[in-house]
Amino acid sequence: MATSIELSKITKVELRDCWENEATDFTPWLAKDENIAMLADALGMNELEVRAQEEHVGPFRADILCVDPGTDKYVLIENQLEITDHKHLGQILTYAAGLDAVTIIWIAERFTEEHRAAIDWLNSITDKEFNFFGVEIELIKIGDSPAAPMFNVVAKPNGWSKDVKRSKASGEGRSETEIFKYEFWSGFNEYMSTHPSELFHPQSASYDHWMNIAIGKGDMHIALLLNTREQKVCVQFYIWNDTDKTYFDALVKYKDDAEKFIGHSLAWRRLDGKKTSTIDLFKKCKLKSESDREAIYAWYKEYTEKFISFFKPIVKEL
């Protein structure tokens, strides 16, 4: 005879029962590291770094100002503990009009159909430098458990269509090398979609020779590089705004441990006199060989994960 299983019931909790005031209760809660990480995960973003709350961005004022560490671009969050309204839609339009590149996240208790459609429309008419998300937040509990937040993404950018739109709009006049880079990174994204990592998400394909991966600190990131002239690829730990080399000198103390963990000697480039420093792992390869492509992508994934696993806990303490 089958054992009877007792199941609990999921119930919804009113947002105002937990956060009475949007500015003084909800915004400070969301700005905490563990909660902003929960939002980033729901959006499929690698990481978000909170810079300020109720911050002026030029002539504007955002509820929360973040930076995407992988691109160093603004991420602005607008909060509503109620149904979406035209006022907040207007604020989003104003932000987009006044900034060169930005991701805007509009969080509300519920999105009306017209406001959801407005976010979809904004994503359809802008290029990939602008990204708009609509997110509904709800609180639920099971039985007598504490309330738990859930972020439900109801509108988001169509990255594929933006890539196609951008490539069509700017494809003319692109060099053969630029086209190769775009196809190379597109192939890497396809590889990562079938071989996903628990440690990082790749950026959208571009015509550049690099792809940046966030590591949780705004002035550091990992860069995946390709050099078509010398036929080599690189996983690079990139440090910027480090003129006095404080960060680099702190990291170089871990040189032996880093190289033992990663399994290779690394190029530790202090670059005196410059704002940047790098730690590099190179690999010679046949970039144009289709048969070698998957092996290159696998190498990128393996050593990006090793760089993140070793350096990320260290840089969080710097």
Side-chain angles (χ1 to χ4, degrees):
M1 183 175 180
T3 304
S4 176
I5 300 176
E6 184 176 347
L7 300 177
S8 296
K9 183 180 180 181
I10 295 176
T11 56
K12 190 169 182 179
V13 179
E14 293 296 324
L15 298 183
R16 296 288 182 180
D17 290 347
C18 184
W19 303 293
E20 184 176 345
N21 183 277
E22 179 184 298
T24 60
D25 298 321
F26 179 72
T27 295
W29 173 86
L30 181 58
K32 291 181 179 179
D33 288 346
E34 62 270 24
N35 300 325
I36 207 73
M38 192 189 316
L39 174 62
D41 185 63
L43 298 172
M45 300 177 72
N46 207 25
E47 241 174 314
L48 285 174
E49 180 181 302
V50 176
R51 290 288 176 89
Q53 302 172 45
E54 301 297 331
E55 176 73 2
H56 286 284
V57 185
F60 319 122
R61 188 180 184 89
D63 288 337
I64 299 179
L65 170 65
C66 297
V67 169
D68 180 345
T71 62
D72 204 41
K73 292 178 181 176
Y74 282 132
V75 178
L76 306 182
I77 301 175
E78 281 297 315
N79 302 321
Q80 270 192 278
L81 294 182
E82 54 199 17
I83 298 173
T84 53
D85 57 31
H86 290 341
K87 175 188 173 184
H88 283 79
L89 176 60
Q91 289 172 211
I92 286 172
L93 292 172
T94 304
Y95 291 146
L99 297 170
D100 292 332
V102 68
T103 293
I104 296 174
I105 304 167
W106 184 5
I107 300 176
E109 180 181 26
R110 184 170 66 82
F111 271 73
T112 65
E113 283 304 315
E114 55 266 35
H115 292 142
R116 187 198 311 245
I119 295 296
D120 289 337
W121 177 73
L122 287 170
N123 280 317
S124 71
I125 65 169
T126 55
D127 66 24
K128 65 187 296 182
E129 299 302 323
F130 293 87
N131 295 286
F132 301 88
F133 290 90
V135 180
E136 291 182 343
I137 183 169
E138 63 176 334
L139 289 171
I140 63 170
K141 65 178 184 177
I142 302 174
D144 296 326
S145 70
M150 290 186 63
F151 294 107
N152 304 309
V153 181
V154 298
K156 61 182 179 180
N158 186 333
W160 179 85
S161 67
K162 286 195 172 190
D163 285 344
V164 171
K165 180 179 176 180
R166 182 177 180 181
S167 64
K168 286 183 177 178
S170 57
E172 292 184 8
R174 292 286 182 182
S175 69
E176 184 179 334
T177 299
E178 287 177 315
I179 293 172
F180 168 78
K181 292 172 184 174
Y182 188 88
E183 292 175 347
F184 180 91
W185 295 126
S186 295
F188 179 63
N189 281 338
E190 290 177 12
Y191 176 84
M192 291 301 299
S193 70
T194 56
H195 302 77
S197 172
E198 295 183 358
L199 299 182
F200 74 96
H201 300 286
Q203 289 184 322
S204 297
S206 74
Y207 296 98
D208 300 315
H209 70 276
W210 70 85
M211 176 182 284
N212 292 337
I213 306 294
I215 198 169
K217 200 168 182 66
D219 36 21
M220 302 178 190
H221 63 260
I222 291 172
L224 311 186
L225 309 176
L226 62 92
N227 186 324
T228 54
R229 183 172 57 85
E230 297 182 13
Q231 290 292 293
K232 64 182 181 182
V233 292
C234 175
V235 175
Q236 178 183 85
F237 189 89
Y238 183 89
I239 311 167
W240 67 276
N241 199 25
D242 190 30
T243 305
D244 58 5
K245 305 304 175 185
T246 301
Y247 288 144
F248 181 86
D249 291 344
L251 289 172
V252 79
K253 295 177 182 178
Y254 297 89
K255 180 178 184 295
D256 292 342
D257 291 338
E259 294 182 349
K260 181 178 179 181
F261 182 88
I262 292 168
H264 293 276
S265 295
L266 305 175
W268 298 75
R269 303 168 67 232
R270 197 171 190 268
L271 302 179
D272 293 317
K274 295 184 178 181
K275 289 185 177 181
T276 60
S277 302
T278 68
I279 305 167
D280 303 320
L281 174 64
F282 294 99
K283 175 181 176 64
K284 294 286 289 185
C285 57
K286 297 177 181 178
L287 280 173
K288 297 294 180 73
S289 171
E290 291 289 342
S291 61
D292 292 350
R293 194 67 54 81
E294 185 162 327
I296 296 172
Y297 294 154
W299 183 87
Y300 270 137
K301 178 177 182 285
E302 177 184 357
Y303 288 100
T304 298
E305 290 179 335
K306 286 188 174 183
F307 268 57
I308 292 172
S309 296
F310 183 83
F311 287 110
K312 186 172 182 177
I314 296 173
V315 302
K316 283 192 171 182
E317 301 299 323
L318 294 181

